[in-house]
Amino acid sequence: MSDHVKLGYIGLGNQGLPMAKRLVDWPGGLVVFDVRTEAMTPLAELGASLADSVADVATADVISVTVLNDAQVRDVVAELAEHAEPGTVIAIHSTIEPDTAAELADRLRPKGIHVVDAPVSGGAGAADKGELAVMVGADDEAYERVKPVFKQWASMVVRAGEPGAGTRMKIARNMLTFIGFTAACEASRLAEAAGIDLQKLGRVVRHSDAQSGGPGAIMVRDDTKPLAPDHFVHDMFVHTRGLAEKDLALALALGEATGVELPLAEIALRDLAAGLGVPHTTSTTKE
């Protein structure tokens, strides 16, 4: 059935262009549109059909949308909905408001049009290599239709749930990224005040994160409840908690000595044990 599915792609920016490039050999063909004509040129050279408007892309069966913001997503979906046939799947790859995809899916369901939210993680480099992760919020029928398409540019396709779930998963994932960046800035301030070469610190962090997996290494449970002693990660997390509270206490002491405020480290010392689902180490428990 995939051989007869025609694909459409709207929005050929830094993220959309490499994703669309990996679809040009799709057996059913690819039609693309961007408000910037020059953005479509690389796809035309590779064999994609160029549309004159969003409405022209509505002839496709599975349409990907990678535009800048929620308002643009709503405008594009509204125009597609005016022209698309029942059975069409509109996949939104933009990071949008949590309720937008579910609202649009409910609105277009009576027309037989499926709305899927499918935000991606990994950046343009991963898109070039076909190694993005995509978090899909879709009903059963739509998910089965988009999965083989998404596998052209993603090495991980995860169904998060019904429409809207993909966006909620992406929001949580991105929150972790940017809190991690903020923590890296805090660590850099401490290291700089302590006379450490920040370039060398960065090399060490990147190397060790590649070995240990970073924050994702602890994201292995089904819930965030306190752990029972016989849980398979209980002992490991108790060990992690002990190391963390010792090292965070040392960092806070160094911050005090160098005059550097470390609010994220204070929060981590306060909250990490509970987040891991194990008790504080008695000697480092703070009121």
Side-chain angles (χ1 to χ4, degrees):
M1 184 173 67
S2 298
D3 290 351
H4 304 291
V5 170
K6 181 178 179 181
L7 305 183
Y9 211 109
I10 297 171
L12 303 171
N14 291 334
Q15 188 71 63
L17 179 60
M19 292 168 67
K21 280 182 175 180
R22 296 190 66 85
L23 300 174
V24 292
D25 294 328
W26 185 262
L30 172 69
V31 56
V32 301
F33 176 75
D34 193 284
V35 293
R36 301 162 300 130
T37 302
E38 65 274 15
M40 294 189 284
T41 302
L43 276 304
E45 293 171 350
L46 292 172
S49 300
L50 305 188
D52 293 324
S53 66
V54 168
D56 290 341
V57 184
T59 59
D61 302 296
V62 176
I63 304 167
S64 285
V65 177
T66 307
V67 292
L68 290 176
N69 54 42
D70 203 272
Q72 290 184 3
V73 165
R74 289 177 177 275
D75 288 345
V76 167
V77 171
E79 188 165 355
L80 288 172
E82 290 182 11
H83 304 278
E85 296 293 327
T88 302
V89 180
I90 302 172
I92 303 165
H93 302 303
S94 311
T95 302
I96 52 178
E97 294 290 330
D99 297 330
T100 297
E103 176 191 327
L104 294 173
D106 288 343
R107 185 183 304 168
L108 298 189
R109 192 172 290 113
K111 295 185 175 184
I113 298 172
H114 304 271
V115 172
V116 169
D117 60 321
V120 299
S121 184
D128 274 329
K129 296 181 288 186
E131 294 180 357
L132 288 168
V134 56
M135 297 148 274
V136 187
D139 61 42
D140 293 342
E141 180 182 347
Y143 181 70
E144 291 305 317
R145 297 195 74 193
V146 300
K147 188 175 181 180
V149 179
F150 293 173
K151 283 189 171 182
Q152 301 302 302
W153 42 256
S155 56
M156 176 178 283
V157 181
V158 174
R159 186 181 181 192
E162 294 298 310
T167 298
R168 296 193 295 274
M169 184 178 284
K170 176 65 182 294
I171 288 170
R173 198 273 168 271
N174 279 10
M175 182 192 74
L176 175 60
T177 296
F178 294 117
I179 289 176
F181 286 177
T182 308
C185 295
E186 183 167 295
S188 296
R189 290 197 301 273
L190 177 64
E192 184 176 44
I196 299 301
D197 184 316
L198 297 187
Q199 290 290 335
K200 292 179 180 178
L201 172 62
R203 286 167 52 201
V204 169
V205 170
R206 288 187 290 275
H207 177 83
S208 56
D209 277 0
Q211 307 306 316
S212 67
I218 67 163
M219 302 177 76
V220 295
R221 294 189 288 154
D222 294 325
D223 56 53
T224 60
K225 298 174 183 176
L227 293 177
D230 60 350
H231 194 282
F232 77 98
V233 294
H234 178 273
D235 293 347
M236 180 177 70
F237 278 14
V238 167
H239 177 68
T240 299
R241 175 228 45 210
L243 293 176
E245 293 188 344
K246 174 179 68 69
D247 291 350
L248 288 165
L250 290 171
L252 288 167
L254 182 59
E256 187 173 353
T258 55
V260 178
E261 294 187 1
L262 303 172
L264 293 178
E266 291 176 356
I267 292 170
L269 181 58
R270 185 192 72 196
D271 293 347
L272 179 59
L276 292 172
V278 297
H280 277 288
T281 302
T282 304
S283 61
T284 58
T285 302
K286 302 184 75 176
E287 296 297 330

